[in-house]
Amino acid sequence: MILVADSSALIAISSCNSLTLLDKIFGEVKVPLEVYQEIISGNKFQSETLDKYLSGKILEVKKENLIILDNTLDQGEISAMILYKKLFDKK
């Protein structure tokens, strides 16, 4: 199973020192580049730990021909949904 995670959830799990549980439960963890950038920008809480954990788990997402009807989502959330759809469609 693949987990596509957003920054808030990763920061919360990291603050509990439980990132390794994600690998045990889901087997594979992926994040879009925008989520990674949100986490490490400005030296946020847990950014150093997450920078190490997310090594090799970051994927770039192309946002071509995209229509967003909800203006409450940030770029990380949008990218996570696109990445999930991309990975799910491959299976």
Side-chain angles (χ1 to χ4, degrees):
M1 186 184 314
I2 299 174
L3 170 69
V4 177
D6 191 24
S7 58
S8 298
L10 287 170
I11 292 167
I13 293 169
S14 180
S15 68
C16 298
N17 297 319
S18 299
L19 288 170
T20 56
L21 287 176
L22 296 177
D23 298 310
K24 290 177 184 175
I25 294 169
F26 296 100
E28 192 173 351
V29 177
K30 298 293 180 188
V31 297
L33 180 59
E34 288 85 355
V35 168
Y36 173 74
Q37 290 171 335
E38 282 179 20
I39 290 169
I40 63 162
S41 69
N43 199 23
K44 292 182 182 173
F45 181 65
Q46 294 295 318
S47 63
E48 190 174 314
T49 301
L50 285 163
D51 184 32
K52 291 175 187 172
Y53 173 75
L54 293 174
S55 178
K57 297 177 169 117
I58 304 159
L59 297 174
E60 192 166 348
V61 175
K62 295 182 182 176
K63 297 179 202 162
E64 300 167 347
N65 304 320
L66 182 63
I67 298 173
I68 302 295
L69 300 176
D70 183 343
N71 64 355
T72 61
L73 300 173
D74 67 28
Q75 290 301 308
E77 292 165 332
I78 292 167
S79 296
M81 288 188 287
I82 294 168
L83 178 57
Y84 177 82
K85 175 98 170 96
K86 176 183 170 185
L87 294 172
F88 180 73
D89 285 347
K90 284 184 176 181
K91 294 192 176 225

